Amino acid sequence: MAKELGVGIIGCGNISTTYFSLSPLFRGLKVLACADLNRSAAELRAEEYGVKAQSIEELLQNDEIDVVVNLTIPAAHFSVSKAILEAGKHVYSEKPLVLTLEEGEELRRLATEKNLAVGCAPDTFMGGSHQLARKYIDEGGVGRITSGTCHVMSPGMEMWHPNPGFFFLAGGGPILDLGPYYIANLINLIGPVKRVGALTSMANPTRTVTSQPLNGQTIPVETPTNIHALLEFVNGATITLSASWDVWSHRHANMELYGTEGSIYVPDPNFFGGVVEASGRNKDIKPLENWDHPFGIANQESPQGPRANYRTAGLADMAIALTEGRDARCSLARSLHGIDVMTSILKSGEEGRFIELTTTCTQPAALGIEEAQALLR
Ligand SMILES: NC(=O)c1ccc[n+]([C@@H]2O[C@H](COP(=O)([O-])OP(=O)(O)OC[C@H]3O[C@@H](n4cnc5c(N)ncnc54)[C@H](O)[C@@H]3O)[C@@H](O)[C@H]2O)c1
């Protein structure tokens, strides 16, 4: 039995309930304490989930804690992760890891110096559907992937998130907020990216919140909300990625990948499940035969029906990888490459030229049924 790591959570907002409620599914982890700039937010979660509320300082000095999960807002990710490493603890961050490549390189330097691990969400590419797509591609089901399209487009976030301001500041925007799911899954399915180009814009310089409790408040938009990017992969594949919060409706699929022998239709990489379809040269598009992957089994109700949600799987994989001395799937190298892709897309939009990436990474190990089962209690 692998050693269990003591986990602390910094940032007790919206997404923290997912980590508190799903982490008990996994082996190798025990959430012990939480902290937040807003002490009452930490106290609320501590009471809900039976953990200890601490100040940030106390949590960083808590000897029982081996890994700290950073669930703060994107603008705080770098400073909070840096403080965690400086306190001698491993980091697992919500996406995006950092807002610039330089910040990411500093975390890499610090982690290497202190022999600590840094991991980062998203882990949805470990879902049953995305791993089924990975298996089909690896087995040559559609030949060599040569091109594809990805679309993540909606009217925005200010109609559902209780505090949506950060989505429209530097570090937010659809590319840094939702891009990570797409980039992580493209790295899972195709491998690393070589260069990118993009056109970026914003429909409006301000937005009006329509969710509660800030209904009616005007918030500034300081980052592009409409991005059309082209990605050239190291394997030669060329992919179009459209990410927008300026679109009321559309008819594009989340992810279509075209290979030398056929096409594969991958469901929304923001989720663990969904139907994977594929066709061969005969153009007959059919669902792939489902497999009993543990991370594809619906375990939650959602407004769209039953849903598979295994967020925290990446943290569990990192905890077990640390004790087994193997590569974690949501590794620093892959997250940093994702940051390079996304920040280069924004830079290309500003400068009007293609940007060659300076980082690279390997594809994560595939996660079959047995490997996924081994992460669960
Ligand atoms: N909400 C979601 O559905 C969702 C889904 C996936 C990923 N995420 C990611 O998770 C992160 C958090 O999102 P959220 O929706 O929970 O945001 P949120 O605003 O609801 O919560 C963030 C919390 O972090 C705290 N905080 C901010 N700066 C801090 C600091 N320096 N030190 C300690 N605490 C600090 C805030 O007080 C707040 O309680 C973001 O990076 C977001 O992209 C959110």
Side-chain angles (χ1 to χ4, degrees), residues 52-129:
K52 198 168 173 183
Q54 295 195 297
S55 70
I56 294 166
E57 238 357 86
E58 285 165 351
L59 188 144
L60 291 178
Q61 281 165 20
N62 183 336
D63 288 339
E64 291 180 336
I65 290 177
D66 305 290
V67 50
V68 182
V69 182
N70 181 354
L71 304 182
T72 62
I73 53 170
H77 284 179
F78 171 65
S79 61
V80 171
S81 292
K82 190 173 169 205
I84 298 167
L85 290 173
E86 280 167 346
K89 301 189 188 301
H90 305 295
V91 176
Y92 186 84
S93 176
E94 248 307 331
K95 49 80 194 167
L97 175 68
V98 285
L99 302 187
T100 67
L101 196 53
E102 292 70 27
E103 291 175 345
E105 291 294 359
E106 192 170 338
L107 291 188
R108 169 142 64 188
R109 189 190 50 70
L110 203 54
T112 309
E113 186 186 300
K114 294 187 165 267
N115 197 23
L116 292 166
V118 177
C120 187
D123 51 8
T124 41
F125 70 86
M126 292 164 69
S129 301

Side-chain angles (χ1 to χ4, degrees), residues 135-345:
K135 182 167 174 285
Y136 195 72
I137 291 170
D138 283 357
E139 288 173 354
V142 291
R144 179 171 46 85
I145 303 287
T146 56
S147 66
T149 60
C150 299
H151 295 93
V152 53
M153 307 193 297
S154 75
M157 310 300 264
E158 65 275 31
M159 45 293 280
W160 70 271
H161 195 281
N163 191 14
F166 74 82
F167 287 115
F168 299 96
L169 302 178
I175 200 72
L176 278 159
D177 182 60
L178 293 164
Y181 298 103
Y182 286 76
I183 308 296
N185 206 26
L186 289 169
I187 292 172
N188 170 47
L189 299 174
I190 310 178
V193 180
K194 192 173 149 207
R195 63 174 181 150
V196 300
L199 291 171
T200 62
S201 64
M202 64 173 77
N204 294 297
T206 60
R207 324 262 295 202
T208 304
V209 180
T210 56
S211 62
Q212 295 299 346
L214 304 178
N215 188 18
Q217 194 177 95
T218 300
I219 50 176
V221 179
E222 294 178 1
T223 189
T225 45
N226 180 52
I227 292 116
H228 292 271
L230 293 172
L231 287 71
E232 184 183 3
F233 283 72
V234 170
N235 84 338
T238 52
I239 306 280
T240 303
L241 167 62
S242 301
S244 183
W245 285 335
D246 294 333
V247 173
W248 289 101
S249 75
H250 68 89
R251 284 180 169 164
H252 293 288
N254 291 105
M255 187 177 279
E256 303 196 346
L257 300 176
Y258 314 126
T260 50
E261 303 302 321
S263 301
I264 184 163
Y265 303 84
V266 181
D268 189 345
N270 198 342
F271 301 103
F272 282 73
V275 178
V276 186
E277 295 176 297
S279 84
R281 291 185 171 205
N282 62 4
K283 304 178 194 161
D284 188 10
I285 303 172
K286 289 203 171 115
L288 295 187
E289 199 175 317
N290 209 0
W291 62 340
D292 293 325
H293 195 285
F295 298 165
I297 298 169
N299 58 344
Q300 277 187 350
E301 278 306 320
S302 80
Q304 293 75 37
R307 182 164 83 184
N309 186 356
Y310 295 87
R311 285 179 195 236
T312 315
L315 170 63
D317 181 59
M318 181 175 108
I320 294 171
L322 274 167
T323 60
E324 291 179 351
R326 63 163 170 82
D327 180 44
R329 290 176 173 83
C330 298
S331 69
L332 175 60
R334 291 184 194 100
S335 312
L336 207 48
H337 186 56
I339 294 295
D340 196 6
V341 172
M342 295 181 292
T343 54
S344 297
I345 284 172

